[in-house]
Amino acid sequence: MDKPTLPKGTRDFGPAQMSKRLLIINTIRKVFEKYGFQPLETPAIENLTTLTGKYGEEGDQLLFKILNSGDFLKDTTADTLATGDWKQLTHAISEKGLRYDLTVPFARYVVMNRHEITFPFKRYQIQPVWRADRPQKGRYREFYQCDADVIGTDSLICEAEIILMIKEVFNALGITDYSINMNHRAILSGLGQLTGSKENESSLFIAIDKLDKIGEDKVKEELRGKGFSEANLNSLFEVLNFKGDTKNKIEFLSKKFANSPPGQKGVSDFKEVRSLLASYGANEEHLDFNLALARGLSYYTGCIFEVKINNVSIGSVSGGGRYDNLTGGFGLPGVSGVGFSFGVDRLYDAMEELNLFPEDAQVSSRVLVSHLDEECRRFALKTVYALRKEGIASEVYPDNTKLKKQLEYADRKKIPFVIVIGSDEMKSGNLTLKNMKTGEQYLRTLAEIIASF
RNA sequence: GUGAAUGUAGUUCAGUUGGUUAGAACGCCAGAUUGUGAUUCUGGAGGUCGCGGGUUCGAGCCCCGUCUUUCACCCCA
């Protein structure tokens, strides 16, 4: 028997990690619910017809496909095999796949349940997704996303509330140094017009998205290689290099895009989001209108977001945007949606790097009831029952063993209090309560102990 | 998917130009006149050197393949 291993890019989460993960997930869930989002879960497995074509050609290749059950070759002819056309063969032997994100399954759900859903529909979804990517630090093949989407309204209140939710979650997690980068698909189109790139638009977006990573010179170099003229590059970087607060930036863009209808639309959306935030009484801290931000997922059409934590070696921990026609592919056109997603795994990595998890994050009993002999152990059962009845997480050491071993157990499992039951305690009714952190111990009745928790 | 590194006790790492029985620290287990953990002392266990082939009298070390992790590209949480 070979040593067991895990598939590439997957991980186990032990109790210590799960405690921290749950801290993140529960924080996000609470914020989502506070903003009126309702829970939804969808299957891990979707039909490939649902998934393919939604993420672009690159995305399709990152889909995990599931081999048909039974004789999956029964409809395959020798001819198909002989052609070596793997795409066609894949189509023949696999009709299901693992979900790649939570947005597309959500769109599928909305279309299937459109008559029962009350619009605008606000749902949140916290589930794992799978991508056949090549793993690296902060990139896994199985990871959790926490999505919140609103579908069925154009209102930019949704965008503003996304910003508010991000701030609340980060505040609750103790993350202080981060930026919420926001851009607009229409602004990007405006930039495309400005630089005279029609067919080259996507190479333009891919290049400028790397700006903060590789720097201006390398971006220019890449764009020259794609045939952009020096004049066009200059007008592009005149916009990208504009320094100033959001207000000044909007004024500047407004002039720049005077002759660009998409550019105008983007600028007016920015303005509106700012004005909405002000009406909430919220400030613009952490918010940055980053014109170089270009998210790859092709279904975005309006505002796009990406959140980065500063000074950590992890990519973006959250991202999202508005999509005007996500349900169109499922036969329900003209419904606008907007949503975003937190990446639990990356938040975890970042918080670990920044040392932001509290010491007592570990999920464990509050009390261990220890005992010195069989009679005491019986007495301990009564004690733990009484503690649990009061809602105090507690456990009895199951075996008759030395007190030393029982205390070691409590120490390792980070159980903060130990009740020691010996013959003296049983006789007097005064139990020994030991504080494992300070080492202090007192004699207390069970009622007193319960009252102190 | 393309290109490049990496892998040695549970963990972090040593290991000489290929040469006897592969080491350390921490951790783990047991004990230090039996009702006290985390600190101290003593002793002990634990490795198919990622896995599979090859070269060699001889491989942890060299070669090939494979898997893992990591880095760049691509993309993204």
Side-chain angles (χ1 to χ4, degrees):
Chain A
M1 187 81 173
D2 289 336
K3 283 182 192 169
T5 56
L6 284 172
K8 190 201 285 265
T10 65
R11 295 134 320 138
D12 287 323
F13 303 113
Q17 289 157 298
M18 275 312 294
S19 299
K20 296 174 184 172
R21 287 174 66 85
L22 287 173
L23 183 87
I24 295 172
I25 289 172
N26 290 336
T27 301
I28 292 171
R29 187 196 312 275
K30 249 190 262 168
V31 171
F32 284 170
E33 290 184 353
K34 192 159 80 173
Y35 279 74
F37 289 79
Q38 296 179 302
L40 175 74
E41 289 204 3
T42 63
I45 305 171
E46 293 276 354
N47 292 325
L48 280 179
T49 50
T50 302
L51 300 175
T52 29
K54 307 296 190 300
Y55 311 104
E57 192 133 346
E58 310 281 348
D60 285 356
Q61 297 202 316
L62 297 179
L63 287 173
F64 273 110
K65 295 165 191 89
I66 297 170
L67 201 56
N68 291 341
S69 340
D71 180 8
F72 53 84
L73 285 177
K74 67 178 185 297
D75 296 328
T76 312
T77 62
D79 288 350
T80 318
L81 279 173
T83 60
D85 183 343
W86 62 274
K87 279 187 183 170
Q88 208 189 322
L89 181 64
T90 305
H91 191 71
I93 64 177
S94 168
E95 53 194 21
K96 293 178 290 297
L98 295 175
R99 72 166 101 78
Y100 176 93
D101 69 0
L102 301 176
T103 311
V104 166
F106 169 57
R108 193 219 76 226
Y109 173 86
V110 167
V111 172
M112 287 178 68
N113 295 276
R114 64 181 109 169
H115 300 302
E116 279 145 60
I117 290 173
T118 307
F119 291 98
F121 181 46
K122 303 171 74 167
R123 83 88 176 78
Y124 77 85
Q125 191 169 351
I126 300 176
Q127 290 190 277
V129 303
W130 293 269
R131 294 182 189 178
D133 221 347
R134 188 171 287 200
Q136 285 181 29
K137 191 179 176 189
R139 311 178 69 153
Y140 307 100
R141 291 186 139 186
E142 177 183 67
F143 61 96
Y144 267 70
Q145 289 195 326
C146 307
D147 264 46
D149 291 78
V150 187
I151 198 157
T153 168
D154 292 335
S155 169
L156 289 165
I157 283 180
C158 304
E159 275 84 342
E161 294 206 341
I162 284 175
I163 294 165
L164 296 179
M165 284 190 282
I166 291 170
K167 286 186 173 195
E168 278 208 32
V169 166
F170 278 44
N171 187 41
L173 292 177
I175 302 169
T176 51
D177 193 8
Y178 64 94
S179 18
I180 304 172
N181 291 303
M182 185 174 156
N183 199 0
H184 200 291
R185 221 45 199 233
I187 297 253
L188 287 168
S189 299
L191 285 177
Q193 290 182 339
L194 214 60
T195 53
S197 52
K198 284 173 207 134
E199 275 134 51
N200 254 351
E201 221 180 32
S202 62
S203 353
L204 173 72
F205 299 162
I206 288 169
I208 63 174
D209 193 43
K210 293 183 224 166
L211 185 58
D212 61 340
K213 204 172 175 186
I214 63 175
E216 179 173 337
D217 292 343
K218 293 232 166 130
V219 171
K220 278 184 173 164
E221 200 178 300
E222 188 171 328
L223 286 173
R224 277 188 205 107
K226 298 277 178 191
F228 284 80
S229 75
E230 218 52 40
N232 283 338
L233 287 184
N234 285 339
S235 57
L236 172 67
F237 275 91
E238 190 198 344
V239 178
L240 293 184
N241 285 334
F242 180 81
K243 297 277 180 286
D245 60 18
T246 50
K247 188 166 175 260
N248 290 332
K249 200 177 252 179
I250 285 173
E251 281 166 11
F252 170 77
L253 287 174
S254 180
K255 273 179 231 153
K256 266 285 157 205
F257 288 136
N259 297 318
S260 161
Q264 290 282 321
K265 162 72 175 153
V267 172
S268 75
D269 278 6
F270 276 4
K271 265 191 201 156
E272 176 68 1
V273 170
R274 271 195 83 215
S275 136
L276 288 169
L277 284 175
S279 301
Y280 281 98
N283 60 35
E284 288 179 22
E285 224 182 322
H286 301 293
L287 181 62
D288 181 22
F289 291 132
N290 180 351
L291 307 180
L293 171 67
R295 295 176 49 75
L297 283 179
S298 43
Y299 48 66
Y300 293 120
T301 50
C303 288
I304 50 184
F305 304 95
E306 190 163 281
V307 184
K308 285 207 166 128
I309 301 176
N310 299 324
N311 304 314
V312 293
S313 56
I314 302 286
S316 65
V317 294
S318 176
R322 179 172 287 277
Y323 36 85
D324 282 332
N325 201 24
L326 192 68
T327 55
F330 299 118
L332 180 64
V335 182
S336 184
V338 59
F340 76 115
S341 179
F342 287 107
V344 175
D345 308 78
R346 285 187 178 178
L347 280 171
Y348 179 102
D349 289 346
M351 286 179 67
E352 199 70 270
E353 205 171 314
L354 294 171
N355 236 320
L356 288 178
F357 286 112
E359 284 272 336
D360 54 3
Q362 177 94 258
V363 174
S364 76
S365 300
R366 295 277 290 145
V367 185
L368 173 74
V369 184
S370 64
H371 42 80
L372 299 168
D373 58 34
E374 177 56 22
E375 200 190 342
C376 301
R377 185 211 203 186
R378 295 281 168 176
F379 190 92
L381 296 182
K382 193 162 59 176
T383 309
V384 80
Y385 188 78
L387 289 168
R388 287 175 182 158
K389 208 168 169 188
E390 297 303 318
I392 300 164
S394 47
E395 59 187 292
V396 183
Y397 196 86
D399 298 313
N400 283 318
T401 182
K402 285 181 284 193
L403 185 56
K404 179 185 168 75
K405 188 144 192 193
Q406 301 183 45
L407 287 168
E408 262 174 19
Y409 174 82
D411 186 45
R412 282 186 202 197
K413 290 191 75 177
K414 302 217 183 328
I415 298 173
F417 294 97
V418 174
I419 291 175
V420 182
I421 291 174
S423 48
D424 295 350
E425 283 85 351
M426 283 196 293
K427 224 177 284 165
S428 68
N430 283 319
L431 310 182
T432 300
L433 177 69
K434 182 179 173 84
N435 180 326
M436 293 298 283
K437 208 162 183 182
T438 62
E440 295 168 313
Q441 57 187 53
Y442 316 92
L443 287 173
R444 292 283 138 84
T445 66
L446 184 57
E448 285 169 339
I449 292 173
I450 288 171
S452 73
F453 275 96

